[in-house]
């Protein structure tokens, strides 16, 4: 299981490559380096391995955190509001990036979000929780592969309103 926090939680004294490779202590150095380079490609940060977190943008730091979470090839990825600290433009870019990553890795993702657009764009099923209880489960009506262009359809707006009504 891979896990990515709301706050990227990077080690500021480590390079990007060291942050990604942090959980790979069971690998020899050559295998670890190869794995880290593969992850850097997947997260679109090839060439950034020697940089430190303070040299990166918020979106880049979040991709490093996601890279660290997928580095050891988990079957399940848990995301706790991974884009909540990002501006709306970067958040939208990260959603596009995550759609592609999930598709490429073919892994199960469980994500917590309070942003309805994000839930409808990324999820297959939405669990509405209140006071630690599941109030409702909603199947997302959009086929995959999907892009954020669905946000501009009548069906998306209708689904978003229905979700909003369930929350109130």
């Amino acid at each position: 299981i891979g896990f990515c926090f709301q706050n990227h939680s990077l080690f500021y004294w480590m390079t990007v490559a060291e942050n990604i490779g942090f959980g790979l202590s069971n690998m020899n150095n050559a295998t670890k380096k190869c794995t880290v380079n593969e992850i850097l490609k997947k997260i679109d940060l090839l060439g950034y391995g020697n940089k430190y977190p303070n040299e990166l943008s918020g979106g880049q730091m979040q991709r490093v955190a996601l890279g660290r979470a997928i580095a050891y090839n988990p079957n399940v990825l848990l995301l706790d509001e991974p884009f909540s600290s990002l501006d709306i433009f970067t958040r939208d870019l990260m959603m596009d990036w995550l759609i592609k990553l999930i598709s490429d890795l073919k892994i199960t993702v469980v994500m917590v979000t309070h942003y309805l657009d994000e839930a409808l764009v990324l999820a297959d099923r939405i669990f509405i929780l209140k006071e630690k209880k599941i109030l409702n489960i909603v199947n997302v009506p959009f086929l995959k592969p999907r892009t954020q262009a669905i946000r501009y359809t009548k069906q998306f707006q209708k689904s978003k309103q229905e979700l909003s009504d369930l929350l109130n």
Side-chain angles (χ1 to χ4, degrees):
I1 294 175
F3 188 84
C4 189
F5 299 93
Q6 273 182 21
N7 182 346
H8 45 74
S9 301
L10 298 179
F11 302 116
Y12 285 97
W13 61 92
M14 291 184 179
T15 64
V16 166
E18 290 167 336
N19 267 283
I20 292 170
F22 180 74
L24 304 176
S25 56
N26 62 333
M27 294 182 180
N28 66 46
N29 284 340
T31 305
K32 186 175 182 177
K33 185 176 181 176
C34 183
T35 299
V36 168
N37 281 332
E38 286 176 27
I39 296 300
L40 286 168
K41 286 179 196 171
K42 285 180 183 171
I43 64 172
D44 299 324
L45 289 175
L46 194 61
Y48 286 74
N50 292 323
K51 293 196 177 289
Y52 287 86
N54 66 340
E55 300 176 277
L56 304 175
S57 70
Q60 290 169 329
M61 286 191 280
Q62 200 60 29
R63 290 199 316 254
V64 173
L66 284 161
R68 182 174 56 201
I70 63 169
Y72 57 92
N73 200 24
N75 294 318
V76 177
L77 182 60
L78 304 176
L79 304 176
D80 180 16
E81 299 186 74
F83 309 139
S84 63
S85 64
L86 303 175
D87 63 83
I88 196 71
F89 177 75
T90 305
R91 177 182 277 211
D92 286 350
L93 290 175
M94 291 295 293
M95 279 196 291
D96 287 338
W97 177 82
L98 187 60
I99 289 168
K100 183 180 180 326
L101 182 71
I102 292 168
S103 176
D104 290 349
L105 296 177
K106 296 179 180 18
I107 61 174
T108 299
V109 176
V110 178
M111 181 172 155
V112 174
T113 184
H114 297 276
Y115 184 38
L116 297 181
D117 286 36
E118 198 170 75
L120 285 167
V121 169
L122 296 172
D124 294 325
R125 286 186 294 163
I126 299 170
F127 291 70
I128 298 173
L129 305 173
K130 186 173 185 176
E131 297 175 13
K132 301 179 186 177
K133 293 182 182 171
I134 297 174
L135 294 181
N136 213 322
I137 301 172
V138 177
N139 290 316
V140 176
F142 309 111
L143 299 176
K144 287 186 172 180
R146 72 179 76 119
T147 66
Q148 289 199 58
I150 64 170
R151 292 167 70 181
Y152 307 105
T153 65
K154 288 180 184 178
Q155 177 61 42
F156 186 89
Q157 296 306 316
K158 180 181 175 204
S159 295
K160 186 175 172 180
Q161 184 59 55
E162 290 169 356
L163 273 180
S164 182
D165 291 345
L166 289 172
L167 295 171
N168 295 322

